[in-house]
Amino acid sequence: MGMLSVFAVTATVGGVWLLVRQWTWGEWLAWAAPLAFTAVVSSVVASRSVLHALYADSFGLTPDDLDVPGAWQATSAVKLLSLLSYALFVPALWGIAKHVHAPFASIVERLGVPLYVCPQLTVVVCGLGAMDSAREAVEDFRTAAVRKTAPPSYFGVEPEWMCVEPTVPAAKLGSRGGVLKPEHPYLSFGEAGGTVSLWDEPSGTVIQMPAEQVRLVRAADGRVRCTFSYGTLPKDG
């Protein structure tokens, strides 16, 4: 599989270079749009992680709710760009065919519109592949949540089972999306922007609260019962 990938990358780079060398003005107009589209997508991906956005949206979160290191955002961008790069494979083969004067080149040359549409469709298919990557990660997360086991990470997102101890009375706890039950562990997405996001498996929703109002203590798994030996929970009043 590794050799196949190397061959595909080499053929794509070489073929695109040969294609650009042979372009007429008409071909520039026919092919520049898909290639420019890929470049624009690359710029967007570099500024915001699309894969993380898809992952977060599945839980009703935003990318800002996930504290993802920059290195992992870059890694996810490379993953997405590797999918989008397949949009260049058809133009690359066309460039090689023209360079070696393949017999079918003159016939295929008349199919300008289908050849133009093909890379666009490939970009769409690759986009669906990116969505499938996030979907599989979300399914693995939900399965782990039901089984009370450790969920897999996803490009720097490291959900962990946590016992959540309020540091303020329950009446003053600013939770959103549900009511915190301190005796049960939660899958935590970590702290981001001063907010803690917790997955509540029974309700299938995320509970959020100010990080300054709770203390997170790592739990072995989702089956434990949370107790806090260093003090009792604050009481209302």
Side-chain angles (χ1 to χ4, degrees):
M1 192 66 179
M3 292 297 296
L4 182 61
S5 297
V6 171
F7 171 77
V9 171
T10 303
T12 299
V13 173
V16 170
W17 179 72
L18 291 172
L19 179 64
V20 172
R21 285 187 58 197
Q22 303 169 80
W23 266 350
T24 63
W25 282 110
E27 288 170 321
W28 270 101
L29 293 176
W31 291 105
L35 298 180
F37 176 78
T38 302
V40 169
V41 170
S42 301
S43 300
V44 172
V45 171
S47 63
R48 174 63 69 179
S49 172
V50 173
L51 295 183
H52 287 119
L54 293 172
Y55 181 81
D57 185 66
S58 298
F59 299 106
L61 298 171
T62 68
D64 292 335
D65 294 321
L66 304 176
D67 185 19
V68 182
W72 277 111
Q73 292 198 30
T75 301
S76 69
V78 171
K79 169 69 174 180
L80 183 56
L81 291 178
S82 67
L83 294 173
L84 292 175
S85 66
Y86 289 109
L88 302 178
F89 191 66
V90 172
L93 293 180
W94 172 239
I96 295 173
K98 289 190 66 177
H99 180 72
V100 300
H101 303 290
F104 61 84
S106 59
I107 299 176
V108 177
E109 194 166 13
R110 302 190 188 99
L111 303 177
V113 174
L115 286 175
Y116 174 82
V117 172
C118 187
Q120 306 285 13
L121 293 178
T122 306
V123 170
V124 173
V125 171
C126 293
L128 294 176
M131 294 178 64
D132 193 55
S133 169
R135 180 187 59 79
E136 290 181 1
V138 171
E139 288 181 355
D140 291 342
F141 175 96
R142 291 180 181 271
T143 299
V146 171
R147 295 178 178 176
K148 310 299 183 183
T149 57
S153 61
Y154 186 69
F155 292 106
V157 181
E158 303 279 354
E160 294 182 283
W161 286 105
M162 292 285 183
C163 288
V164 186
E165 179 192 15
T167 58
V168 298
K172 297 181 180 179
L173 187 61
S175 61
R176 305 188 303 273
V179 178
L180 179 69
K181 298 179 180 179
E183 66 274 14
H184 300 303
Y186 291 84
L187 273 173
S188 171
F189 292 98
E191 176 188 345
T195 299
V196 171
S197 299
L198 308 168
W199 177 251
D200 183 32
E201 172 54 32
S203 66
T205 59
V206 170
I207 299 176
Q208 293 184 306
M209 60 200 65
E212 61 185 14
Q213 294 185 350
V214 294
R215 182 182 295 112
L216 301 182
V217 181
R218 186 173 286 106
D221 53 39
R223 304 180 186 91
V224 304
R225 184 173 179 83
C226 296
T227 58
F228 303 99
S229 58
Y230 38 74
T232 58
L233 299 178
K235 299 182 181 300
D236 295 339

